[in-house]
Amino acid sequence: MTTSIKRINKRMPGWAKVVSALVVVLVVFFAGIRLSVLPGLKDLFGTETNDRSGPALLQSIQDISRYDAASGNFQIVVDLEKDAKFLPDAIRGSRTLYVGAGTVDAYVDLGKVGDDDVTVNDDRTSATLRLPHAALGKPSLDPDRSYAVSKQRGLLDRIGDLFSDNPNSEQAVQKLAVRHIGDAAEKSGLTARAETNTTDMLKGLLHSLGFKEVKVTYAT
């Protein structure tokens, strides 16, 4: 047996009809905003950003005695995919394509130079300096030049984003980008460039002070 549509409508209470109609109107309304079908609605419900942050507090001051002698700019394309066992990617899983750009500084710590590491002759025309080898600073990711190219998430991941305090977090790919940039800096010869620049700087400085012969060496 089949029941006609008219008989179903007769059995529906009046309040249910009102609720159903309201739901339909809201769905069409917000779909229009989402798809920009109804012009002007986005301006009507536009968001306003207010910065209510408190003042920054100075927690500590640290003296720096290192000489930043070189800086390298790096870019990495991170392709991070997370899969779930026994579930297709459409249900559970994610894949993020992220372009990370950052810098790494190479420096010589002049604070480690002791009295025994500097030798000057009696007439102050010759000087020999022994410095520690150059080291790499921590990679710094530039948020203005780093961005996500694409994000693919399964159904369960999308639902989880609705109840998360930080949906679509890029923290994992950002950490991975920083690690890859650090690895690239170690293979780039940046520390050798820093030592060359430090040597040139010290020789120029001491020559301007009257030293005719300046020798700079590096040791562990």
Side-chain angles (χ1 to χ4, degrees):
M1 296 178 64
T2 58
T3 304
S4 64
I5 298 177
K6 292 183 179 181
R7 292 182 61 185
I8 294 176
N9 291 335
K10 289 181 179 180
R11 294 178 182 177
M12 182 178 294
W15 63 269
K17 294 181 180 179
V18 174
V19 173
S20 301
L22 181 60
V23 170
V24 172
V25 171
L26 290 176
V27 169
V28 174
F29 182 75
F30 286 106
I33 297 177
R34 179 79 173 180
L35 302 176
S36 299
V37 175
L38 302 176
L41 289 179
K42 285 190 175 182
D43 296 334
L44 179 62
F45 294 95
T47 59
E48 181 180 356
T49 303
N50 295 313
D51 186 1
R52 304 185 186 279
S53 305
L57 301 178
L58 177 63
Q59 294 184 334
S60 64
I61 296 178
Q62 183 179 0
D63 294 330
I64 298 177
S65 58
R66 75 183 196 181
Y67 175 65
D68 290 331
S71 181
N73 294 307
F74 300 88
Q75 187 178 75
I76 179 69
V77 178
V78 178
D79 188 351
L80 181 61
E81 183 176 7
K82 295 182 179 180
D83 296 324
K85 293 183 178 180
F86 312 116
L87 288 177
D89 294 341
I91 301 298
R92 182 64 187 272
S94 64
R95 183 177 182 181
T96 304
L97 195 64
Y98 182 83
V99 176
T103 58
V104 180
D105 294 333
Y107 66 92
V108 175
D109 192 353
L110 301 179
K112 294 183 178 180
V113 178
D115 296 337
D116 297 336
D117 297 322
V118 179
T119 304
V120 179
N121 63 351
D122 295 336
D123 56 359
R124 298 183 62 83
T125 58
S126 176
T128 301
L129 294 85
R130 185 175 59 186
L131 308 179
H133 281 291
L136 294 175
K138 293 182 178 180
S140 177
L141 200 64
D142 187 353
D144 294 331
R145 297 189 294 125
S146 303
Y147 55 93
V149 178
S150 65
K151 297 179 182 179
Q152 300 175 4
R153 302 184 308 282
L155 178 60
L156 296 180
D157 297 275
R158 292 177 180 273
I159 295 175
D161 289 342
L162 298 176
F163 301 96
S164 174
D165 293 334
N166 188 21
N168 303 333
S169 174
E170 297 177 353
Q171 187 176 14
V173 289
Q174 289 175 349
K175 288 184 177 180
L176 198 56
V178 168
R179 192 182 75 186
H180 285 309
I181 289 175
D183 293 340
E186 293 179 356
K187 303 176 183 178
S188 65
L190 197 58
T191 53
R193 180 67 174 270
E195 291 181 2
T196 300
N197 293 341
T198 303
T199 299
D200 294 339
M201 182 273 294
L202 291 175
K203 285 185 175 181
L205 176 62
L206 293 177
H207 284 157
S208 66
L209 296 176
F211 289 88
K212 297 180 180 179
E213 183 180 352
V214 179
K215 182 179 180 181
V216 180
T217 60
Y218 294 86
T220 56

